[in-house]
mmCIF file of all heavy atoms in Angstrom:
data_model
loop_
_atom_site.group_PDB
_atom_site.id
_atom_site.type_symbol
_atom_site.label_atom_id
_atom_site.label_comp_id
_atom_site.label_asym_id
_atom_site.label_seq_id
_atom_site.Cartn_x
_atom_site.Cartn_y
_atom_site.Cartn_z
ATOM 1 N N LEU A 1 0.855 -1.252 0.015
ATOM 2 C CA LEU A 1 0.001 -0.003 0.017
ATOM 3 C C LEU A 1 0.874 1.242 -0.045
ATOM 4 O O LEU A 1 0.656 2.242 -0.706
ATOM 5 C CB LEU A 1 -0.956 0.032 1.193
ATOM 6 C CG LEU A 1 -1.752 1.282 1.420
ATOM 7 C CD1 LEU A 1 -2.632 1.521 0.206
ATOM 8 C CD2 LEU A 1 -2.581 1.179 2.648
ATOM 9 N N ALA A 2 1.940 1.228 0.780
ATOM 10 C CA ALA A 2 2.848 2.402 0.810
ATOM 11 C C ALA A 2 3.490 2.588 -0.523
ATOM 12 O O ALA A 2 3.673 3.725 -1.014
ATOM 13 C CB ALA A 2 3.917 2.160 1.948
ATOM 14 N N GLN A 3 3.886 1.459 -1.172
ATOM 15 C CA GLN A 3 4.481 1.484 -2.493
ATOM 16 C C GLN A 3 3.473 2.069 -3.524
ATOM 17 O O GLN A 3 3.895 2.806 -4.438
ATOM 18 C CB GLN A 3 5.039 0.208 -2.870
ATOM 19 C CG GLN A 3 6.165 -0.362 -2.051
ATOM 20 C CD GLN A 3 6.554 -1.748 -2.395
ATOM 21 O OE1 GLN A 3 5.722 -2.633 -2.713
ATOM 22 N NE2 GLN A 3 7.844 -2.150 -2.310
ATOM 23 N N PHE A 4 2.239 1.654 -3.359
ATOM 24 C CA PHE A 4 1.204 2.130 -4.246
ATOM 25 C C PHE A 4 1.013 3.694 -4.119
ATOM 26 O O PHE A 4 0.960 4.374 -5.126
ATOM 27 C CB PHE A 4 -0.114 1.432 -3.891
ATOM 28 C CG PHE A 4 -1.338 1.810 -4.715
ATOM 29 C CD1 PHE A 4 -1.667 1.028 -5.808
ATOM 30 C CD2 PHE A 4 -2.118 2.945 -4.514
ATOM 31 C CE1 PHE A 4 -2.812 1.266 -6.614
ATOM 32 C CE2 PHE A 4 -3.132 3.249 -5.291
ATOM 33 C CZ PHE A 4 -3.557 2.408 -6.322
ATOM 34 N N ILE A 5 1.008 4.176 -2.916
ATOM 35 C CA ILE A 5 0.891 5.587 -2.693
ATOM 36 C C ILE A 5 2.139 6.400 -3.190
ATOM 37 O O ILE A 5 2.021 7.430 -3.789
ATOM 38 C CB ILE A 5 0.636 5.926 -1.175
ATOM 39 C CG1 ILE A 5 -0.730 5.238 -0.746
ATOM 40 C CG2 ILE A 5 0.660 7.366 -0.899
ATOM 41 C CD1 ILE A 5 -0.910 5.194 0.770
ATOM 42 N N ASP A 6 3.299 5.728 -3.000
ATOM 43 C CA ASP A 6 4.515 6.408 -3.307
ATOM 44 C C ASP A 6 4.892 6.398 -4.825
ATOM 45 O O ASP A 6 5.754 7.229 -5.239
ATOM 46 C CB ASP A 6 5.668 5.849 -2.563
ATOM 47 C CG ASP A 6 5.666 6.315 -1.024
ATOM 48 O OD1 ASP A 6 4.959 7.381 -0.764
ATOM 49 O OD2 ASP A 6 6.280 5.646 -0.194
ATOM 50 N N PHE A 7 4.295 5.564 -5.550
ATOM 51 C CA PHE A 7 4.723 5.365 -7.025
ATOM 52 C C PHE A 7 4.757 6.624 -7.774
ATOM 53 O O PHE A 7 5.723 6.982 -8.465
ATOM 54 C CB PHE A 7 3.961 4.358 -7.712
ATOM 55 C CG PHE A 7 4.146 4.266 -9.151
ATOM 56 C CD1 PHE A 7 5.390 3.816 -9.666
ATOM 57 C CD2 PHE A 7 3.220 4.763 -10.081
ATOM 58 C CE1 PHE A 7 5.679 3.813 -10.974
ATOM 59 C CE2 PHE A 7 3.436 4.675 -11.438
ATOM 60 C CZ PHE A 7 4.679 4.235 -11.921
ATOM 61 N N PRO A 8 3.693 7.462 -7.650
ATOM 62 C CA PRO A 8 3.716 8.766 -8.488
ATOM 63 C C PRO A 8 4.847 9.630 -8.115
ATOM 64 O O PRO A 8 5.360 10.372 -8.979
ATOM 65 C CB PRO A 8 2.326 9.407 -8.170
ATOM 66 C CG PRO A 8 1.470 8.252 -7.653
ATOM 67 C CD PRO A 8 2.430 7.308 -6.961
ATOM 68 N N HIS A 9 5.342 9.608 -6.858
ATOM 69 C CA HIS A 9 6.471 10.446 -6.431
ATOM 70 C C HIS A 9 7.659 10.136 -7.294
ATOM 71 O O HIS A 9 8.399 11.064 -7.654
ATOM 72 C CB HIS A 9 6.709 10.253 -4.963
ATOM 73 C CG HIS A 9 5.567 10.465 -4.081
ATOM 74 N ND1 HIS A 9 4.448 11.230 -4.446
ATOM 75 C CD2 HIS A 9 5.259 9.954 -2.841
ATOM 76 C CE1 HIS A 9 3.586 11.166 -3.385
ATOM 77 N NE2 HIS A 9 4.065 10.369 -2.468
ATOM 78 N N SER A 10 7.900 8.857 -7.465
ATOM 79 C CA SER A 10 9.068 8.423 -8.286
ATOM 80 C C SER A 10 8.803 8.784 -9.785
ATOM 81 O O SER A 10 9.772 9.217 -10.473
ATOM 82 C CB SER A 10 9.327 6.932 -8.105
ATOM 83 O OG SER A 10 9.545 6.609 -6.756
ATOM 84 N N LEU A 11 7.614 8.446 -10.245
ATOM 85 C CA LEU A 11 7.266 8.697 -11.618
ATOM 86 C C LEU A 11 7.526 10.220 -12.035
ATOM 87 O O LEU A 11 7.994 10.532 -13.146
ATOM 88 C CB LEU A 11 5.818 8.340 -11.911
ATOM 89 C CG LEU A 11 5.340 8.402 -13.329
ATOM 90 C CD1 LEU A 11 6.097 7.456 -14.317
ATOM 91 C CD2 LEU A 11 3.820 8.127 -13.387
ATOM 92 N N TYR A 12 7.128 11.129 -11.152
ATOM 93 C CA TYR A 12 7.213 12.507 -11.470
ATOM 94 C C TYR A 12 8.237 13.282 -10.706
ATOM 95 O O TYR A 12 8.187 14.477 -10.528
ATOM 96 C CB TYR A 12 5.847 13.199 -11.094
ATOM 97 C CG TYR A 12 4.730 12.693 -12.011
ATOM 98 C CD1 TYR A 12 3.712 11.800 -11.594
ATOM 99 C CD2 TYR A 12 4.628 13.173 -13.275
ATOM 100 C CE1 TYR A 12 2.706 11.372 -12.392
ATOM 101 C CE2 TYR A 12 3.615 12.721 -14.206
ATOM 102 C CZ TYR A 12 2.678 11.843 -13.710
ATOM 103 O OH TYR A 12 1.703 11.394 -14.583
ATOM 104 N N GLN A 13 9.328 12.606 -10.322
ATOM 105 C CA GLN A 13 10.375 13.240 -9.479
ATOM 106 C C GLN A 13 11.056 14.362 -10.160
ATOM 107 O O GLN A 13 11.569 15.258 -9.564
ATOM 108 C CB GLN A 13 11.358 12.194 -9.024
ATOM 109 C CG GLN A 13 12.120 11.492 -10.136
ATOM 110 C CD GLN A 13 13.005 10.384 -9.606
ATOM 111 O OE1 GLN A 13 13.512 10.520 -8.487
ATOM 112 N NE2 GLN A 13 13.256 9.287 -10.378
ATOM 113 N N ASN A 14 11.050 14.351 -11.517
ATOM 114 C CA ASN A 14 11.659 15.437 -12.284
ATOM 115 C C ASN A 14 10.689 16.413 -12.934
ATOM 116 O O ASN A 14 11.098 17.198 -13.770
ATOM 117 C CB ASN A 14 12.574 14.856 -13.324
ATOM 118 C CG ASN A 14 13.694 14.039 -12.769
ATOM 119 O OD1 ASN A 14 14.302 14.377 -11.791
ATOM 120 N ND2 ASN A 14 13.975 12.896 -13.338
ATOM 121 N N ASP A 15 9.482 16.299 -12.504
ATOM 122 C CA ASP A 15 8.437 17.170 -13.098
ATOM 123 C C ASP A 15 8.098 18.356 -12.120
ATOM 124 O O ASP A 15 7.612 18.155 -10.944
ATOM 125 C CB ASP A 15 7.132 16.394 -13.346
ATOM 126 C CG ASP A 15 6.059 17.132 -14.102
ATOM 127 O OD1 ASP A 15 5.994 18.357 -13.962
ATOM 128 O OD2 ASP A 15 5.321 16.472 -14.914
ATOM 129 N N LYS A 16 8.369 19.532 -12.513
ATOM 130 C CA LYS A 16 8.375 20.698 -11.622
ATOM 131 C C LYS A 16 6.886 21.071 -11.241
ATOM 132 O O LYS A 16 6.616 21.801 -10.336
ATOM 133 C CB LYS A 16 9.011 21.916 -12.201
ATOM 134 C CG LYS A 16 8.418 22.444 -13.534
ATOM 135 C CD LYS A 16 9.121 23.589 -14.131
ATOM 136 C CE LYS A 16 8.622 24.030 -15.445
ATOM 137 N NZ LYS A 16 7.207 24.531 -15.399
ATOM 138 N N ASN A 17 5.930 20.505 -12.027
ATOM 139 C CA ASN A 17 4.484 20.829 -11.748
ATOM 140 C C ASN A 17 3.785 19.783 -10.919
ATOM 141 O O ASN A 17 2.638 19.969 -10.599
ATOM 142 C CB ASN A 17 3.744 21.000 -13.132
ATOM 143 C CG ASN A 17 4.197 22.196 -13.825
ATOM 144 O OD1 ASN A 17 4.454 23.234 -13.292
ATOM 145 N ND2 ASN A 17 4.242 22.115 -15.211
ATOM 146 N N TYR A 18 4.489 18.681 -10.599
ATOM 147 C CA TYR A 18 3.833 17.657 -9.798
ATOM 148 C C TYR A 18 3.747 18.057 -8.302
ATOM 149 O O TYR A 18 4.643 18.629 -7.686
ATOM 150 C CB TYR A 18 4.634 16.386 -9.912
ATOM 151 C CG TYR A 18 4.198 15.273 -9.014
ATOM 152 C CD1 TYR A 18 2.978 14.602 -9.193
ATOM 153 C CD2 TYR A 18 5.000 14.902 -7.930
ATOM 154 C CE1 TYR A 18 2.547 13.589 -8.383
ATOM 155 C CE2 TYR A 18 4.557 13.843 -7.052
ATOM 156 C CZ TYR A 18 3.350 13.265 -7.263
ATOM 157 O OH TYR A 18 2.881 12.249 -6.396
ATOM 158 N N VAL A 19 2.498 17.758 -7.782
ATOM 159 C CA VAL A 19 2.279 18.048 -6.341
ATOM 160 C C VAL A 19 1.947 16.697 -5.679
ATOM 161 O O VAL A 19 0.920 16.064 -5.984
ATOM 162 C CB VAL A 19 1.116 19.007 -6.106
ATOM 163 C CG1 VAL A 19 0.942 19.295 -4.611
ATOM 164 C CG2 VAL A 19 1.436 20.364 -6.823
ATOM 165 N N PRO A 20 2.711 16.181 -4.763
ATOM 166 C CA PRO A 20 2.397 14.877 -4.123
ATOM 167 C C PRO A 20 1.252 14.975 -3.168
ATOM 168 O O PRO A 20 1.030 16.028 -2.461
ATOM 169 C CB PRO A 20 3.697 14.617 -3.401
ATOM 170 C CG PRO A 20 4.350 15.871 -3.033
ATOM 171 C CD PRO A 20 4.002 16.841 -4.233
ATOM 172 N N GLU A 21 0.395 13.954 -3.174
ATOM 173 C CA GLU A 21 -0.702 13.886 -2.163
ATOM 174 C C GLU A 21 -0.090 13.641 -0.774
ATOM 175 O O GLU A 21 0.953 13.010 -0.673
ATOM 176 C CB GLU A 21 -1.602 12.709 -2.553
ATOM 177 C CG GLU A 21 -2.327 12.810 -3.896
ATOM 178 C CD GLU A 21 -3.583 13.681 -3.700
ATOM 179 O OE1 GLU A 21 -3.813 14.256 -2.687
ATOM 180 O OE2 GLU A 21 -4.381 13.677 -4.745
ATOM 181 N N ILE A 22 -0.818 14.000 0.210
ATOM 182 C CA ILE A 22 -0.340 13.849 1.578
ATOM 183 C C ILE A 22 -0.466 12.378 1.901
ATOM 184 O O ILE A 22 -1.536 11.744 1.750
ATOM 185 C CB ILE A 22 -1.206 14.662 2.629
ATOM 186 C CG1 ILE A 22 -1.041 16.132 2.318
ATOM 187 C CG2 ILE A 22 -0.773 14.315 4.043
ATOM 188 C CD1 ILE A 22 -1.900 17.034 3.177
ATOM 189 N N PHE A 23 0.579 11.712 2.333
ATOM 190 C CA PHE A 23 0.666 10.274 2.466
ATOM 191 C C PHE A 23 -0.415 9.734 3.446
ATOM 192 O O PHE A 23 -1.136 8.738 3.166
ATOM 193 C CB PHE A 23 2.106 9.823 3.018
ATOM 194 C CG PHE A 23 2.196 8.368 3.220
ATOM 195 C CD1 PHE A 23 2.509 7.511 2.084
ATOM 196 C CD2 PHE A 23 1.991 7.785 4.491
ATOM 197 C CE1 PHE A 23 2.573 6.118 2.306
ATOM 198 C CE2 PHE A 23 2.080 6.437 4.641
ATOM 199 C CZ PHE A 23 2.344 5.584 3.558
ATOM 200 N N ILE A 24 -0.483 10.327 4.665
ATOM 201 C CA ILE A 24 -1.440 9.736 5.650
ATOM 202 C C ILE A 24 -2.873 9.927 5.107
ATOM 203 O O ILE A 24 -3.736 9.105 5.429
ATOM 204 C CB ILE A 24 -1.277 10.432 7.008
ATOM 205 C CG1 ILE A 24 -1.352 11.976 6.918
ATOM 206 C CG2 ILE A 24 0.024 10.017 7.567
ATOM 207 C CD1 ILE A 24 -1.427 12.667 8.289
ATOM 208 N N GLY A 25 -3.154 10.985 4.331
ATOM 209 C CA GLY A 25 -4.517 11.212 3.815
ATOM 210 C C GLY A 25 -4.805 10.051 2.818
ATOM 211 O O GLY A 25 -5.929 9.497 2.797
ATOM 212 N N GLN A 26 -3.883 9.738 1.893
ATOM 213 C CA GLN A 26 -4.023 8.684 0.916
ATOM 214 C C GLN A 26 -4.151 7.373 1.608
ATOM 215 O O GLN A 26 -4.963 6.486 1.227
ATOM 216 C CB GLN A 26 -2.958 8.705 -0.053
ATOM 217 C CG GLN A 26 -2.978 9.909 -1.023
ATOM 218 C CD GLN A 26 -4.039 9.906 -2.033
ATOM 219 O OE1 GLN A 26 -3.978 9.151 -3.051
ATOM 220 N NE2 GLN A 26 -5.122 10.632 -1.843
ATOM 221 N N ARG A 27 -3.296 7.107 2.609
ATOM 222 C CA ARG A 27 -3.320 5.848 3.278
ATOM 223 C C ARG A 27 -4.744 5.608 3.886
ATOM 224 O O ARG A 27 -5.276 4.503 3.827
ATOM 225 C CB ARG A 27 -2.248 5.804 4.369
ATOM 226 C CG ARG A 27 -2.117 4.514 5.214
ATOM 227 C CD ARG A 27 -1.380 4.758 6.436
ATOM 228 N NE ARG A 27 -2.054 5.733 7.351
ATOM 229 C CZ ARG A 27 -1.501 6.310 8.387
ATOM 230 N NH1 ARG A 27 -0.171 6.141 8.631
ATOM 231 N NH2 ARG A 27 -2.195 7.187 9.063
ATOM 232 N N ASP A 28 -5.261 6.560 4.592
ATOM 233 C CA ASP A 28 -6.593 6.429 5.253
ATOM 234 C C ASP A 28 -7.665 6.238 4.202
ATOM 235 O O ASP A 28 -8.688 5.455 4.425
ATOM 236 C CB ASP A 28 -6.929 7.666 6.160
ATOM 237 C CG ASP A 28 -6.009 7.614 7.421
ATOM 238 O OD1 ASP A 28 -5.241 6.626 7.605
ATOM 239 O OD2 ASP A 28 -6.063 8.609 8.141
ATOM 240 N N LEU A 29 -7.583 7.055 3.068
ATOM 241 C CA LEU A 29 -8.641 6.929 2.043
ATOM 242 C C LEU A 29 -8.684 5.553 1.469
ATOM 243 O O LEU A 29 -9.700 5.103 1.023
ATOM 244 C CB LEU A 29 -8.275 7.950 0.846
ATOM 245 C CG LEU A 29 -9.099 7.961 -0.344
ATOM 246 C CD1 LEU A 29 -10.534 8.300 0.017
ATOM 247 C CD2 LEU A 29 -8.598 9.033 -1.356
ATOM 248 N N LEU A 30 -7.545 4.828 1.425
ATOM 249 C CA LEU A 30 -7.487 3.512 0.757
ATOM 250 C C LEU A 30 -7.512 2.358 1.733
ATOM 251 O O LEU A 30 -7.346 1.202 1.403
ATOM 252 C CB LEU A 30 -6.201 3.420 -0.091
ATOM 253 C CG LEU A 30 -6.098 4.413 -1.289
ATOM 254 C CD1 LEU A 30 -4.726 4.426 -1.823
ATOM 255 C CD2 LEU A 30 -7.135 3.982 -2.330
#
């Protein structure tokens, strides 16, 4: 689940327009 939430952070690590979701919010949502 943590890897699922974190995947976009790696995918967009070089994209200046990417905004990461708050981890604890996504964890509780899922």
Side-chain angles (χ1 to χ4, degrees):
L1 174 60
Q3 292 173 326
F4 183 95
I5 296 169
D6 284 341
F7 170 69
H9 309 333
S10 301
L11 183 65
Y12 292 105
Q13 60 183 331
N14 297 318
D15 190 327
K16 63 181 178 63
N17 290 326
Y18 172 69
V19 181
E21 296 276 10
I22 297 173
F23 179 85
I24 56 175
Q26 291 288 282
R27 182 196 62 197
D28 289 353
L29 176 60
L30 295 169

